[in-house]
Amino acid sequence: MKENHSSLYINVILGAAGTILVALAAMSSFSIKDNSSYFMLFLALFLLLIT
């Protein structure tokens, strides 16, 4: 069986980026209460859900 490795790599990269964004948004939401941390959390959760 031949597997599509490029889509696997894309999913891994998006999952890692989503995890990093969740961590950054969580840290920034504890220090500063602004709208950018909520946007970062939403974007990170979206990246994690599509992978």
Side-chain angles (χ1 to χ4, degrees):
M1 268 199 297
K2 188 173 182 176
E3 296 180 13
N4 191 1
H5 290 290
S6 62
S7 66
L8 178 66
Y9 293 142
I10 290 172
N11 284 337
V12 168
I13 290 171
L14 287 177
T19 305
I20 290 170
L21 284 176
V22 165
L24 287 175
M27 286 189 293
S28 69
S29 69
F30 285 130
S31 62
I32 300 171
K33 302 286 187 195
D34 61 347
N35 290 336
S36 67
S37 62
Y38 296 120
F39 175 71
M40 225 186 317
L41 272 172
F42 177 73
L43 178 65
L45 288 175
F46 178 72
L47 285 176
L48 287 175
L49 286 176
I50 64 169
T51 57

